[in-house]
Amino acid sequence: MAADRARDARPVSVAGKVMAILNAFAQGGVRLNLSEICRRAGLPLATGHRLVGELAAGGFLERVPDGTYRIGTRLWRIGSQAPAVTGLRELALPHMEDLYEATHDNVQLGVLREDRVLIVERLRGTRSVPVVTQVGAMLPLHTTGVGKVLLAYAPPEVREGIISAGLARHAVRTITDPAKLRRDLERVRRSGYSLTRDEMTLGASSIGAPVRDAAGEVVAALSLVAGTRGADLRRLLPPLTTAVRALSRDVAAHWSGDPDAFSGERKTGA
């Protein structure tokens, strides 16, 4: 379906082609080969080869030894200055650090962006289970702890639109049945937390909880990712709940505005 959409909306201008190449990485996948970039961007191979080469030369993409490409440090530095990243990260990092110290598991913070979850920040230690998540990655909503929270609390029309678009399988236990996912999301709303087991990555499980603003609206999600083998995810719920409550208080006290655009601006008199 992604390839069909790309063919239906082939970029025409040079700027459009460059944006299509960069957006190819937003669809998932830390590293992409040239053919995959061109397929996702809807570009002929020759055109993609030329533009990708120029982007790599400028530091916006980086070519790794195996011939694939990833986001370059220059683009990452520019993107990391976006208010949507800096404001929420500044508020969340102290609580994420406390949560990591309490659990020594991976800590992830995500926000809803279109039909995916944008990973705003991640903490991982040497004893944590390996995960594919990178800061700035766009991941599926139905397979991740942060994603399920955001999907569960999304407006019904948004949630149903995402579900009806199709649920791709990413691991052995990915929920691909719409009715089963709806039941799972209803459980998230009742309990206030999400659980995943081998749904995004084999061997990794997660528990997520919502971060709310002053009006009680869910504006982000925080999760812990642990190894599936021997994992008792519910033992992680108390420290996770403590962290999201503290972060929600900070969001309510120090941030005001559109939930889709964390500005990091302090309320006057706060």
Side-chain angles (χ1 to χ4, degrees):
M1 289 190 298
D4 294 337
R5 288 195 297 269
R7 284 193 294 269
D8 293 341
R10 288 184 184 276
V12 177
S13 67
V14 173
K17 293 171 183 176
V18 170
M19 288 188 288
I21 288 172
L22 297 178
N23 193 55
F25 291 87
Q27 300 174 32
V30 176
R31 297 181 181 182
L32 300 174
N33 61 37
L34 182 61
S35 296
E36 182 67 8
I37 293 171
C38 292
R39 184 186 68 80
R40 292 185 177 190
L43 294 173
L45 193 60
T47 302
H49 181 269
R50 174 174 59 83
L51 293 175
V52 166
E54 292 180 11
L55 287 167
F60 294 94
L61 294 179
E62 182 178 300
R63 192 174 189 273
V64 293
D66 65 1
T68 59
Y69 293 86
R70 62 189 176 191
I71 294 296
T73 55
R74 189 172 184 183
L75 183 61
W76 183 87
R77 287 198 302 269
I78 294 171
S80 67
Q81 299 177 50
V85 175
T86 55
L88 183 55
R89 287 175 66 200
E90 287 172 2
L91 292 174
L93 269 171
H95 305 292
M96 295 178 69
E97 290 167 354
D98 288 346
L99 186 55
Y100 175 77
E101 287 301 319
T103 65
H104 291 285
D105 288 310
N106 296 293
V107 186
Q108 298 183 160
L109 179 72
V111 296
L112 182 64
R113 285 295 177 272
E114 297 178 356
D115 60 349
R116 300 176 81 80
V117 52
L118 168 65
I119 301 301
V120 175
E121 187 55 273
R122 181 199 73 161
L123 296 181
R124 177 177 178 268
T126 56
R127 290 187 290 168
S128 303
V129 61
V131 293
V132 299
T133 307
Q134 300 289 331
V135 174
M138 300 282 279
L139 300 179
L141 290 163
H142 67 293
T143 64
T144 57
V146 283
K148 281 191 179 182
V149 168
L150 296 170
L151 188 57
Y153 289 99
E157 64 276 12
V158 173
R159 184 167 59 249
E160 286 304 313
I162 291 169
I163 293 174
S164 63
L167 304 170
R169 183 176 297 281
H170 293 266
V172 292
R173 292 185 178 176
T174 300
I175 298 176
T176 58
D177 176 56
K180 184 176 180 181
L181 181 61
R182 289 187 184 98
R183 291 194 296 270
D184 195 27
L185 297 178
E186 175 59 31
R187 186 200 60 77
V188 173
R189 289 190 292 273
R190 288 198 312 268
S191 65
Y193 64 90
S194 66
L195 294 173
T196 71
R197 291 184 182 275
D198 299 320
E199 294 178 40
M200 181 66 194
T201 306
L202 183 64
S205 297
S206 65
I207 182 168
V211 177
R212 300 177 183 271
D213 64 9
E217 297 295 323
V218 174
V219 294
L222 195 64
S223 76
L224 287 164
V225 183
T228 297
R229 181 176 295 180
D232 179 7
L233 292 177
R234 287 181 175 83
R235 73 174 173 80
L236 300 175
L237 186 58
L240 177 62
T241 300
T242 298
V244 295
R245 286 176 177 169
L247 177 53
S248 294
R249 285 195 297 268
D250 274 357
V251 168
H254 301 302
W255 177 79
S256 62
D258 186 344
D260 290 332
F262 279 96
S263 66
E265 295 176 356
R266 305 299 185 184
K267 288 181 180 178
T268 56

